[in-house]
Amino acid sequence: MGDLVTARLVLHPMTGDEARRLVAGGPPHGARWAPGYPADGDVVAAERFLRTLADTGDPGPFGTYEIRRREDGAAIGGAGFHGPADAHGRVTIGYGLVPSARGRGYASEALRALLACARAHGVTCVRGDADHENTASHRVMTAAGMRPVGEDERVRYFEITWTAAPTTVRTPG
């Protein structure tokens, strides 16, 4: 599985070794981490990815990605899938950025890349959620084409669905 490249970002699929180093708190040799990376959510995602590797093997494109700026290669956050598509072709996504990278459209750009990847691999529905007070994340999902589909006492749920496979596979971005 190769990198997902957008106009300003590279979504790098994490390897097992990279995930182990992230969980341990140390960057791989030569890696650049922006201040504040990894955040707690990045560590949780890396741990989930390592459990998936141990339980079912490499999830391929439905794994965890490190979000890097193209301009300097610095890791500024993470994004990815909570696992492979279910029997109905649905996946759940998550993402997060270090505070210094927020408010610049990076999260929407990364999410659009994940959505394009999911669709190119036959996914019919992508789901996500955010706490009610996380209006920035609500805007990110809406900007990427996801729509609110419900809420509970804690979170608002979003999704995007496709009824047919894409006619062409495009590079995300």
Side-chain angles (χ1 to χ4, degrees):
M1 179 67 203
D3 292 344
L4 303 177
V5 180
T6 71
R8 301 178 299 158
L9 303 171
V10 173
L11 277 69
H12 173 72
M14 199 169 281
T15 67
D17 285 342
E18 290 166 336
R20 281 186 279 285
R21 287 188 183 126
L22 189 143
V23 169
H29 178 71
R32 299 185 63 196
W33 285 0
Y37 182 80
D40 291 343
D42 299 308
V43 174
V44 168
E47 290 170 339
R48 180 185 317 113
F49 176 66
L50 290 170
R51 282 192 305 275
T52 299
L53 285 176
D55 294 345
T56 59
D58 188 348
F62 300 110
T64 299
Y65 294 79
E66 187 173 72
I67 302 171
R68 300 174 181 169
R69 283 189 302 247
R70 287 181 65 184
E71 68 185 44
D72 62 3
I76 59 171
F81 300 94
H82 292 196
D86 67 15
H88 302 286
R90 297 180 299 229
V91 294
T92 301
I93 52 88
Y95 54 87
L97 295 174
V98 297
S100 64
R102 295 177 187 158
R104 297 181 178 158
Y106 292 142
S108 295
E109 190 172 327
L111 180 54
R112 283 191 295 273
L114 285 182
L115 293 174
C117 176
R119 187 158 191 215
H121 286 89
V123 168
T124 59
C125 177
V126 177
R127 295 176 169 169
D129 63 67
D131 291 341
H132 286 292
E133 65 274 359
N134 191 350
T135 56
S137 193
H138 298 177
R139 286 191 301 274
V140 165
M141 287 187 271
T142 301
M146 299 176 77
R147 297 291 172 244
V149 294
E151 60 184 69
D152 61 24
E153 64 281 346
R154 191 179 64 83
V155 299
R156 178 172 285 173
Y157 299 95
F158 291 78
E159 72 178 31
I160 187 169
T161 59
W162 302 286
T163 56
T167 55
T168 60
V169 176
R170 296 182 359 200
T171 303

